Amino acid sequence: MQNPQGFGVSEETLLKMQLTLEFGGGLELLCDSKKIHNVNVEQQNGEDKLTMKDLLSWVRTNLIKERPEMFMKGDTVRPGVLVLVNDCDWELSGQLNTLLEEKDVVVFISTLHGG
Amino acid sequence: MSSASEILRQLNSLKDAKTEIDNKISLLEAQLKDINLQNAAAASNGSSSYPANGLTPDMIHRYSRHLVLPSFGVQGQANLLKSSILVVGAGGLGAPALLYFAASGVGRLGIVDHDVVELNNMHRQIIHREAYVGKPKVKSAAAACRSINSTIQVVEHEEALRTSNALEILSKYDIIVDATDNAPTRYMISDCCVVLGKPLVSGAALGLEGQLTVYNYNSGPCYRCLFPTPPPRTACQSCADGGVLGVVPGIIGCLQALEAIKIAASVGEPLSGRMLLLDALSGRIRIVKIRGRSTQCEACGENATFTQQHFCEFDYEKFTQTPLCVPPLKLNLLPSESRISSKEYSETILKKEPHVLVDVRPAHHFNIVSLPKSMNIPLSTLEASLPEISSALKKEEERGVVSGSSAQLYVVCRRGNDSQRAVQLLHKKGFTSAKDIVGGLESWTHNVDPEFPTY
């Protein structure tokens, strides 16, 4: 949220963005078997924007409890994980550079092979 | 009173007789069908005074509820009757899809599978009957389809799909349905559909979740556009290991039937460029927008040079690090002196040798069935439970009659992989004499007690 007056936001105050994160296709097992996480993510360095890249590193630090290699590879998600921002493939919104907004819903889903 | 062996003998001879009669029935039915088809063809060749888009009176009656559907109608049904659909996999997804394809009058219906029906398939693979346990799934599924609709052509491909036969099999059909259960086959089917230009209706299910989309349709994305790099093998669970609620693949299989029927009949909007995600536990279905065809895709992108020749030579097992026919993983982490066969273990029980048996399966597996006097310490909590093992060993030594002989520590799991990992950990933590039971509980059933349930 912008503060039009630039008023009341000191440098120490961390801006927080409210997001809903969902994990599926087995990825929920990496974060306490909980599928839906309503989170407040601090924006880095007082910047007023949050990218998917920032969010991934936040998720890795704060939500992933085990086997992080099953979630990430390098600075992005591992092969076989679909990322959806507001029900839309992140390929269509700029992948790691996707800019997130307040109340966005981000889904991480591992592709299934069973049948 | 007859003995069990006498009853078995009679049962077997009756079953043989039944098979023979069944074969005769199939043969006669096929002959009758040919005659009927010839008559129908003759009838539609002008002798009928009622034009009905090539539908016979029987067809009009059978498919009447499709015909009166304004958005489907005679044209939709006629398209369907002329279409051909191949279902790869007669398992949890393929079972309901095949039933609906047969019932709805898909003109030619192909089934590919190399497996046999097992009792632990029956909860979800609803096309198979108990009488077919141990028999090929293709035979079972084809018989079920024919018994629903004797007027369609059902083609049996009783073989595993491979790069050597896929082009030939898939090229004979208009629409391909991926109802398989592993990553290499999924890449192989998608690539084959790309080089042949066939739409692919792809479904997957595991646990309580399902996924569905249509690939390679009307310049939409293919499987590789979405997943250019295969996932690590450890990320691909099977229904045998992860479990699956029977109705979940049932729902996805039905949706695959719906999408394939829409394409075959040329009605509606196929689920291309979109993906349906089913979360059965929370009762939610979401349909998300996925990327379009990738210009960089190695199979279907702008500069892709993926030809039939490339397809035939492509090593899908190497690409995905996964064998096409998924044999259970067999690790060999321990030296033979740290291992004991199930037979040897059964002898230590008979000799009443003091020992502790630790079962390292997850608790919900242990609750299904376990060996007597085994203690359940799941592998994930093993490190934290070492004192528990120490005290169990001490108790056993005190109880042991033979003085001086220390109690042995044995570890078991379902198939003998996790038990080796556990023994490695135990060795590191000072339990240097710990041994694992080779082949786990499955080996117990096969080599010691056939009555011990497998799952």
Side-chain angles (χ1 to χ4, degrees):
Chain A
M1 278 256 296
Q2 294 289 327
N3 187 327
Q5 281 88 32
F7 173 77
V9 181
S10 70
E11 275 187 12
E12 294 85 52
T13 314
L14 283 172
L15 286 169
K16 288 201 172 185
M17 190 178 277
Q18 195 186 74
L19 299 170
T20 302
L21 309 182
E22 295 194 30
F23 297 82
L27 291 178
E28 70 280 7
L29 299 174
L30 307 177
C31 30
D32 288 334
S33 295
K34 204 174 134 193
K35 283 192 163 164
I36 302 179
H37 299 251
N38 290 304
V39 298
N40 289 297
V41 180
E42 305 92 25
Q43 279 147 276
Q44 305 296 307
N45 313 321
E47 284 198 36
D48 59 356
K49 64 185 180 108
L50 183 76
T51 63
M52 274 304 301
K53 191 174 177 191
D54 302 329
L55 180 67
L56 279 181
S57 92
W58 186 90
V59 167
R60 184 176 178 150
T61 312
N62 294 280
L63 292 183
I64 302 294
K65 299 287 162 61
E66 53 180 288
R67 294 177 289 159
E69 73 281 5
M70 295 303 286
F71 181 63
M72 286 182 75
K73 189 176 179 189
D75 64 354
T76 189
V77 291
R78 71 148 165 86
V81 173
L82 274 184
V83 182
L84 308 160
V85 180
N86 299 326
D87 284 348
C88 191
D89 190 343
W90 76 338
E91 283 281 332
L92 302 168
S93 56
Q95 262 209 10
L96 286 168
N97 299 322
T98 308
L99 274 181
L100 293 168
E101 288 174 28
E102 184 81 7
K103 300 215 163 121
D104 275 351
V105 178
V106 183
V107 177
F108 301 97
I109 195 144
S110 178
T111 174
L112 304 176
H113 301 94
Chain B
M1 215 173 79
S2 326
S3 68
S5 64
E6 173 57 18
I7 293 175
L8 270 175
R9 195 195 59 76
Q10 284 189 32
L11 268 175
N12 283 334
S13 113
L14 284 171
K15 276 180 186 166
D16 286 345
K18 184 170 170 248
T19 311
E20 205 175 308
I21 292 173
D22 281 342
N23 288 342
K24 274 185 195 157
I25 290 175
S26 316
L27 192 69
L28 288 171
E29 278 174 348
Q31 286 173 1
L32 184 65
K33 203 177 85 185
D34 278 348
I35 293 169
N36 284 341
L37 280 176
Q38 280 162 18
N39 290 345
S44 64
N45 277 345
S47 64
S48 168
S49 49
Y50 308 108
N53 256 11
L55 302 189
T56 64
D58 270 352
M59 285 171 171
I60 289 176
H61 193 54
R62 180 189 281 265
Y63 305 117
S64 55
R65 272 42 169 186
H66 278 175
L67 304 180
V68 295
L69 198 58
S71 51
F72 199 82
V74 173
Q75 192 54 53
Q77 188 63 46
N79 291 345
L80 202 54
L81 288 163
K82 272 184 246 145
S83 74
S84 54
I85 298 180
L86 179 74
V87 178
V88 188
L93 300 164
L98 283 163
L99 293 173
Y100 274 109
F101 289 144
S104 64
V106 170
R108 190 157 44 84
L109 184 54
I111 313 167
V112 185
D113 206 304
H114 69 284
D115 231 345
V116 295
V117 180
E118 290 183 65
L119 191 61
N120 60 16
N121 297 153
M122 305 287 296
H123 83 291
R124 67 186 189 284
Q125 303 179 12
I126 55 166
I127 199 167
H128 307 302
R129 298 287 166 261
E130 283 182 2
Y132 277 93
V133 171
K135 303 214 167 86
K137 286 186 182 175
V138 161
K139 292 253 174 287
S140 165
C145 290
R146 290 188 186 112
S147 71
I148 289 174
N149 192 342
S150 61
T151 69
I152 62 161
Q153 195 189 341
V154 179
V155 186
E156 302 173 19
H157 301 277
E158 197 189 323
E159 54 197 317
L161 201 68
R162 306 193 169 280
T163 47
S164 54
N165 62 9
L167 284 166
E168 198 205 331
I169 297 176
L170 268 65
S171 63
K172 292 177 190 150
Y173 298 86
D174 303 329
I175 300 163
I176 313 301
V177 173
D178 184 345
T180 62
D181 62 359
N182 63 81
T185 310
R186 287 179 183 277
Y187 278 100
M188 178 170 73
I189 293 174
S190 175
D191 288 351
C192 194
C193 284
V194 168
V195 296
L196 292 171
K198 311 267 182 191
L200 170 62
V201 181
S202 178
L206 184 72
L208 289 141
E209 288 183 68
Q211 296 169 357
L212 169 86
T213 189
V214 175
Y215 291 117
N216 202 42
Y217 176 81
N218 255 357
S219 50
C222 78
Y223 190 62
R224 270 191 205 250
C225 295
L226 227 62
F227 305 109
T229 314
R233 188 181 176 184
T234 41
C236 304
Q237 263 210 325
S238 68
C239 291
D241 290 334
V244 62
L245 192 74
V247 65
V248 173
I251 291 165
I252 299 296
C254 285
L255 288 168
Q256 286 183 278
L258 173 63
E259 290 305 317
I261 287 170
K262 275 159 58 182
I263 297 170
S266 307
V267 301
E269 235 180 292
L271 197 76
S272 164
R274 294 178 292 156
M275 182 178 277
L276 182 147
L277 308 169
L278 166 71
D279 180 349
L281 208 52
S282 65
R284 285 187 311 166
I285 292 177
R286 64 171 3 126
I287 291 165
V288 300
K289 188 171 161 46
I290 53 175
R291 69 201 73 171
R293 178 162 287 185
S294 161
T295 50
Q296 269 107 53
C297 177
E298 284 186 31
C300 72
E302 271 169 11
N303 301 314
T305 50
F306 201 83
T307 60
Q308 298 199 2
Q309 186 66 29
H310 286 103
F311 172 77
C312 290
E313 288 161 4
F314 197 89
D315 188 338
Y316 288 91
E317 300 190 326
K318 202 171 143 205
F319 178 58
T320 56
Q321 306 270 295
T322 311
L324 278 163
C325 305
V326 192
L329 187 67
K330 275 219 182 328
L331 290 177
N332 209 347
L333 303 174
L334 300 173
S336 55
E337 61 268 24
S338 295
R339 312 199 71 185
I340 167 176
S341 73
S342 52
K343 202 119 206 168
E344 289 167 317
Y345 175 69
S346 74
E347 281 153 21
T348 73
I349 297 182
L350 286 176
K351 290 186 205 148
K352 298 204 164 76
E353 289 175 13
H355 73 276
V356 168
L357 177 64
V358 174
D359 185 328
V360 291
R361 292 174 299 155
H364 67 282
H365 282 233
F366 188 78
N367 288 339
I368 301 171
V369 66
S370 61
L371 285 175
K373 291 187 192 155
S374 56
M375 60 192 283
N376 183 214
I377 302 178
L379 182 60
S380 58
T381 62
L382 183 63
E383 200 163 350
S385 311
L386 298 177
E388 216 178 308
I389 296 175
S390 299
S391 73
L393 281 168
K394 200 171 275 174
K395 231 190 214 164
E396 186 69 6
E397 272 162 25
E398 284 161 8
R399 204 189 54 81
V401 198
V402 195
S403 59
S405 76
S406 60
Q408 288 295 313
L409 175 57
Y410 299 118
V411 181
V412 73
C413 65
R414 187 179 180 188
R415 299 194 181 107
N417 292 323
D418 275 354
S419 59
Q420 295 182 62
R421 295 187 176 105
V423 166
Q424 276 191 326
L425 180 76
L426 288 166
H427 284 179
K428 247 186 255 164
K429 298 288 169 185
F431 296 86
T432 48
S433 65
K435 293 181 182 182
D436 95 301
I437 297 180
V438 177
L441 295 170
E442 284 190 354
S443 150
W444 183 264
T445 305
H446 287 132
N447 302 315
V448 179
D449 181 8
E451 299 287 298
F452 188 80
T454 51
Y455 59 93

